[in-house]
Amino acid sequence: MKLNIEVDEEACEEITIRCRKIDARVLRAEKILKQMFDTSDDLCLLHDNTECFVPVSEILFFETDGSTRGVAAYTKDRKYHTDRTLAQLEAELPYSFIRASKSCILNAMKVSAIARNLTGASEVSFRSSDKHTYVSRSYYKPLKERITELRLR
């Protein structure tokens, strides 16, 4: 692996990783760089009209809840709300968060089990929690791959 640094006073700062394939070293470099530049370990979420600063690592999943409040965020103990859309959250959240359906993003590091259902959505359970959500058939394989990838690091 080689490292190139180009100085361009007109350009905005960006880091590009160019590789033949994504392997463990590339993923590790990505993770380290994301952590270095991620200034926010907490998300500002609402709970009963109170703004709470919740560590991202404690969030199990985000889900559209059909209400006017937009997206619900679940930890093992509480349900919060945010005005952000799932698309916005997906772009902002760490690599451990992955889409599980059109209406859900989950933290792959918190998954304890997936009850496979070949004809429909599979039920996802989380560590140290009785909460669960569902992964649709089209998102099952990418979720399983992400979980495997994260657990092998």
Side-chain angles (χ1 to χ4, degrees), residues 23-151:
D23 60 15
R25 292 183 323 154
V26 172
L27 291 171
R28 193 169 39 252
E30 177 193 32
K31 181 180 178 183
I32 291 167
L33 289 167
K34 280 184 176 180
Q35 289 173 346
M36 281 178 48
F37 295 104
D38 184 17
T39 57
S40 168
D41 291 332
D42 295 342
L43 277 180
C44 182
L45 302 171
L46 292 173
H47 178 71
D48 294 335
N49 295 321
T50 302
E51 288 184 343
C52 302
F53 297 94
V54 180
V56 172
S57 61
E58 290 183 11
I59 297 171
L60 302 175
F61 63 99
F62 293 90
E63 190 171 62
T64 55
D65 62 1
S67 73
T68 57
R69 296 194 92 166
V71 174
Y74 294 87
T75 64
K76 69 178 188 172
D77 301 321
R78 282 195 170 154
K79 177 181 177 181
Y80 299 91
H81 290 92
T82 180
D83 292 333
R84 291 182 179 102
T85 65
L86 285 178
Q88 290 169 328
L89 288 165
E90 194 171 25
E92 296 170 12
L93 290 167
Y95 186 70
S96 63
F97 284 84
I98 184 168
R99 188 68 79 134
S101 67
K102 288 182 180 179
S103 61
C104 179
I105 297 172
L106 59 78
N107 186 345
M109 293 300 292
K110 298 290 185 180
V111 172
S112 65
I114 303 173
R116 187 92 192 261
N117 181 347
L118 298 176
T119 60
S122 299
E123 186 176 3
V124 178
S125 302
F126 297 93
R127 292 182 178 157
S128 305
S129 176
D130 59 347
K131 293 193 173 46
H132 64 271
T133 190
Y134 295 91
V135 57
S136 64
R137 284 183 299 157
S138 59
Y139 291 94
Y140 177 83
K141 185 177 178 184
L143 172 63
K144 187 106 188 294
E145 289 171 354
R146 179 76 54 93
I147 290 170
T148 302
E149 179 184 318
L150 289 168
R151 304 276 165 93

Side-chain angles (χ1 to χ4, degrees), residues 1-3 17-33 149 152-153:
M1 184 179 293
K2 66 180 185 177
L3 176 65
I17 299 175
R18 189 170 293 120
C19 58
R20 290 177 211 236
K21 65 176 185 161
I22 296 176
D23 60 15
R25 292 183 323 154
V26 172
L27 291 171
R28 193 169 39 252
E30 177 193 32
K31 181 180 178 183
I32 291 167
L33 289 167
E149 179 184 318
L152 290 177
R153 286 187 183 176

